[in-house]
Amino acid sequence: MAQIKIAIVGAGSIGAGWAILFASAGERVALYDPEIAQRESAKKRIGERLSLLKSHELLADTVDQVLNRVEVFDDLATALSGATLIQECGPERVDIKREIFREIESHVDREAIIASSSSAIKPSEFTNEMKFPERALVIHPGNPPYLILVGEIVPSSRTSEAVIDRVRQILESSGMSAVLVRNEPQGFVFNRLQGAILREAYSLVRDGVISARELDEIMIKGLGKRWALIGAFGASSLNVKGGIRAHVARMGESYYKMGLERGQDDPWTPDLVEKVASDMEKKFPVDNWEADVLARDEALMKLTRLMKELGR
Ligand SMILES: NC(=O)c1ccc[n+]([C@@H]2O[C@H](COP(=O)([O-])OP(=O)(O)OC[C@H]3O[C@@H](n4cnc5c(N)ncnc54)[C@H](O)[C@@H]3O)[C@@H](O)[C@H]2O)c1
């Protein structure tokens, strides 16, 4: 695909991280930040991370080749000129996001896509007053974006489907999986999942069930290790022969009671289980269960070796 220009507004940790991802994938990156210190340190910070990526064999080109694709500007309009995607990475405050979006919109043509990296502010809260809200949305990365290779695409109800498709294409051609998050839920999905775990973890520590460090042993050596390879629904699919339906038949009641203890009366209805099972069976067909379990175990063996190397 032809090289495109990506403008990044805000050169802090997430702005620099996006620059590394996009420039490593061959795109041209223009960085802007109102703070002179941030502008002056940006290429050094990016270069240091690129060198580390190179030493871990995670960079196809040379550090200089990638760094040469990144240009830092002290003028917003020039940085934005000709950009296909503008990725806003300013402070997490709705008034500031509104102001930055207003300013960006005054400088660009109708074609440019304007995305925010916001962790939790709904896109409609700062895009509704725009002239062209159909080209605005949130693309929420993990931190750092060049290593946590999944981005949540969070449109407002006014974002166009063509913009969603184009963003998906840009992220995927940069090596990042794109997931679509509908309806602007508070915290999107990444942080909602994180929040669910943290809420339960805090409750367990509060109730004297376990210490914080021992809880993290379960996360690192147990759940996180398995989830890293097959996900939460994937783990349920492979834990019980017969997949999701069999897992719910065996464990559903117990999970329901755990929810009740936390005031959550929210059973997994047959319709809901059917929806999850039929989607997951496309990835883990029930008649391929033994082979999928074997593949999981071999992946766990490789991960176990790596974790040993890392002293985990
Ligand atoms: N840090 C994370 O873990 C993480 C993860 C995902 C998303 N995010 C989101 O990404 C965004 C940036 O976060 P960060 O961690 O990089 O913050 P940061 O503090 O490291 O960087 C913010 C940058 O914005 C610049 N800035 C200030 N005012 C500005 C303005 N008016 N216009 C443009 N830039 C301005 C600052 O000079 C600074 O360089 C936030 O919305 C944050 O919620 C953060």
Side-chain angles (χ1 to χ4, degrees), residues 3 53 55 74 103 116 119 128-129 133 174 181 192 197-198 216 225 239 254 266 287 300:
Q3 187 187 44
L53 285 166
S55 70
D74 56 11
E103 209 185 334
S116 171
S119 303
N128 269 356
E129 287 158 25
S174 301
V181 175
R192 284 184 85 88
I197 294 284
L198 282 173
D216 264 358
K225 183 177 180 185
N239 269 356
S254 169
D266 203 2
D287 61 7
L300 278 170

Side-chain angles (χ1 to χ4, degrees), residues 266-277:
D266 203 2
W268 303 337
T269 61
D271 281 0
L272 178 58
V273 174
E274 176 54 36
K275 189 172 182 178
V276 172

Side-chain angles (χ1 to χ4, degrees), residues 80-118:
L80 299 178
S81 169
T84 301
L85 171 67
I86 297 156
Q87 187 71 33
E88 176 273 326
C89 306
E92 183 77 353
R93 272 184 35 199
V94 70
D95 55 330
I96 298 181
K97 302 264 187 231
R98 252 183 226 133
E99 184 50 40
I100 300 177
F101 268 61
R102 203 174 2 250
E103 209 185 334
I104 290 173
E105 199 180 36
S106 73
H107 291 301
V108 295
D109 63 38
R110 257 196 107 128
E111 300 304 310
I113 298 171
I114 312 175
S116 171
S117 304
S118 174

